[in-house]
Amino acid sequence: MMSIWLRGWIGLVAIIAVGNTVQCFLNEDYPRQRIYTLQGELATPLVSRLFGVWTLLAAGIRMSYVLSPDNHSVYVLTLLSFVLAFFHFSSEVFFYRTAPLDVGTIAPLIVSGVSCLWMMLLY
């Protein structure tokens, strides 16, 4: 039963990630305005497009899990995508200090952290 809820959760996260990808391509200032506000000059239009591609890749991996929940390799890759997201956002806040601890970073930290824990519990 919990795996059905997990699939729904990851599917929702994947759909939201596609929306974030679209924002990165339509508004080249999106990451600078929403995430990397402490050192916005580092978030160039190239960074926006790279962030969009990275987010789209993560969405594709996560949707692959939703469509093939019994595939062990896809499960592990999906878990890895959340681990990488958690590491990325926490390092930008606490190590590189390019992003403040606000809604632009707290939301992805919560989503990736909860998803990691949930997937590890069901592993």
Side-chain angles (χ1 to χ4, degrees), residues 78-97:
T78 303
L79 175 57
L80 179 62
S81 76
F82 286 116
V83 169
L84 290 173
F86 188 83
F87 176 76
H88 169 74
F89 286 102
S90 59
S91 67
E92 293 299 331
V93 171
F94 300 111
F95 183 72
Y96 297 112
R97 301 198 189 283

Side-chain angles (χ1 to χ4, degrees), residues 31-111:
R32 182 177 57 80
Q33 294 169 343
R34 299 277 299 161
I35 302 165
Y36 309 106
T37 58
L38 295 181
Q39 294 184 14
E41 67 280 359
L42 298 176
T44 65
L46 174 61
V47 169
S48 182
R49 292 188 300 274
L50 283 171
F51 192 80
V53 169
W54 174 69
T55 304
L56 185 60
L57 177 61
I61 291 169
R62 293 165 186 170
M63 195 54 74
S64 295
Y65 164 73
V66 171
L67 299 173
S68 298
D70 297 324
N71 186 324
H72 180 72
S73 297
V74 172
Y75 191 93
V76 171
L77 285 173
T78 303
L79 175 57
L80 179 62
S81 76
F82 286 116
V83 169
L84 290 173
F86 188 83
F87 176 76
H88 169 74
F89 286 102
S90 59
S91 67
E92 293 299 331
V93 171
F94 300 111
F95 183 72
Y96 297 112
R97 301 198 189 283
T98 57
L101 194 57
D102 64 5
V103 71
T105 54
I106 291 174
L109 284 170
I110 291 172
V111 168

Side-chain angles (χ1 to χ4, degrees), residues 20-40:
N20 285 337
T21 296
V22 170
Q23 287 295 320
C24 286
F25 284 103
L26 293 179
N27 179 4
E28 292 180 335
D29 290 331
Y30 182 74
R32 182 177 57 80
Q33 294 169 343
R34 299 277 299 161
I35 302 165
Y36 309 106
T37 58
L38 295 181
Q39 294 184 14

